[in-house]
Amino acid sequence: MQSITIHAPAKVNLALEVCGLLPGGFHDLDMIMQAVTLYETIRLEKRPAGELTLECRAADGTLAADIPTDARNLAWRAARLFLDAAGIADGVFVSVTKAVPSQAGMADGSADAAGVLVGLDLLFETGMTVPQLCALGEQLGSDVPFCVVGGTCMCEGRGEKLRKLPNMPDCIFVVVKPEFSVSTPALYKKIDEVTIAKRPNHMAMESALISGDLDQVAKNVLNVFDPVVTADHLELNYIKSLFHQYGAISYQMTGSGSATFAIVSEFEVAAVICNMLKDNYPDVFICKPV
Ligand code: C5P
């Protein structure tokens, strides 16, 4: 095999709880993450020894000149790390076609890195185990191990301690990425200074997942960052009011934002919500749990 193409899914947070601080300044998290059918496309091609090059393209195929293609890019670092860890002298060309919005809380860069790790393992037939790939992912970023595993997971610690949960019941997500972005480090700093009024109930969410009860899953969707970001960006209330008005079961910001999603049970409802949003928000996506 000379090349391989991988589809790397984005995620949303069904729940996000900040429990405290870890040694080293990172935060101790309890998160329930869900992979969704919004995919980055990653093409990997074998190249002569010593060569490691990356290109990034927008969803329409045009080159994304503003995205760094060197060691500043997590996909490049993932390829370097994998080749070194596996002792492979061959080079690689990595082409990432972006479909997932950046600075959205949907793990686009982490999905790219996980896709490179999983794809290179297949391309070079190195036979790494999922825990081995996750251990490499952990060195790249907090969300990379989840992006390697996918599905529905409880993620603890920095986000790297994973436990598989039953798959989320079938539903539709409508995701909106507003124009504003949130600085993740600044948001983590801010959460230390506020009183968290409402925290997710992970036991209730897990029971709902076990029994496959979509209404209960939706009822327990909660991200402690949501009210903190909404306080500074009231437009999230406008988006959520539209979600509510047009029949979403529930809605919440994902990760450190700014993408915000609704859970709906019927495609017709998702289509109506998209129609109501698309004039003001070019970045609206319909996807499903995967
Ligand atoms: O690991 P990742 O690159 O996603 O983290 C981005 C930033 O978010 C970190 O530099 C840190 O400031 C903050 N963070 C944190 N605790 C975590 C994950 C991220 O404080 N568990």
Side-chain angles (χ1 to χ4, degrees), residues 21-22 25-29 110 140-143 157-159 184-186 188:
L21 270 176
L22 293 167
F26 270 76
H27 288 73
D28 187 16
L29 308 176
S110 302
L140 296 162
S142 311
D143 290 343
R158 266 178 60 198
T184 304
Y188 273 101

Side-chain angles (χ1 to χ4, degrees), residues 14-274:
L14 298 180
L16 195 161
E17 160 79 306
V18 179
C19 309
L21 270 176
L22 293 167
F26 270 76
H27 288 73
D28 187 16
L29 308 176
D30 277 353
M31 303 184 283
I32 298 179
M33 310 254 249
Q34 176 62 54
V36 297
T37 56
L38 185 61
Y39 300 103
E40 303 275 84
T41 304
I42 295 155
R43 184 168 172 78
L44 302 163
E45 296 174 6
K46 285 185 186 169
R47 288 293 156 93
E51 190 180 320
L52 176 52
T53 46
L54 168 72
E55 67 166 27
C56 286
R57 294 186 178 272
D60 65 4
T62 54
L63 270 181
D66 52 327
I67 302 178
T69 54
D70 52 22
R72 287 169 294 170
N73 191 306
L74 214 52
W76 190 98
R77 291 214 296 277
R80 182 71 276 150
L81 183 67
F82 182 92
L83 295 173
D84 291 346
I88 291 168
D90 287 28
V92 176
F93 168 67
V94 182
S95 174
V96 177
T97 303
K98 311 285 299 174
V100 181
S102 292
Q103 299 195 290
M106 299 188 76
D108 69 316
S110 302
D112 297 344
V116 167
L117 296 176
V118 171
L120 288 179
D121 179 49
L122 293 170
L123 183 63
F124 289 103
E125 300 180 66
T126 27
M128 288 208 188
T129 62
V130 170
Q132 281 173 323
L133 292 170
C134 286
L136 291 180
E138 199 182 320
Q139 298 175 46
L140 296 162
S142 311
D143 290 343
V144 182
F146 168 74
C147 292
V148 168
V149 172
T152 312
C153 285
M154 170 69 85
C155 308
E156 294 172 278
R158 266 178 60 198
E160 82 289 8
K161 290 185 195 138
L162 304 186
R163 181 163 58 87
K164 266 279 202 192
L165 295 176
N167 288 342
M168 185 177 179
D170 191 33
C171 68
I172 301 161
F173 295 109
V174 182
V175 187
V176 183
K177 166 67 177 79
E179 222 169 88
F180 75 87
S181 294
V182 179
S183 154
T184 304
L187 185 57
Y188 273 101
K189 197 164 174 290
K190 197 160 186 186
I191 200 91
D192 295 334
E193 292 156 10
V194 301
T195 308
I196 299 173
K198 224 173 150 197
R199 296 178 181 272
N201 181 342
H202 289 305
M203 294 231 307
M205 176 66 93
E206 207 170 325
S207 309
L209 288 167
I210 290 167
S211 56
D213 184 334
L214 179 62
D215 282 338
Q216 284 302 316
V217 169
K219 201 176 142 197
N220 283 290
V221 161
L222 206 152
N223 175 355
V224 296
F225 285 133
D226 182 313
V228 181
V229 174
T230 303
D232 287 340
H233 299 277
L234 293 178
E235 103 180 77
L236 289 189
N237 277 337
Y238 166 72
I239 292 169
K240 288 185 234 167
S241 72
L242 281 181
F243 285 159
H244 180 74
Q245 191 181 348
Y246 289 97
I249 313 174
S250 69
Y251 30 83
Q252 196 75 189
M253 193 184 77
T254 174
S256 56
S258 63
T260 299
F261 65 94
I263 297 179
V264 303
S265 52
E266 285 156 35
F267 182 76
E268 288 72 16
V269 175
V272 168
I273 294 175
C274 273

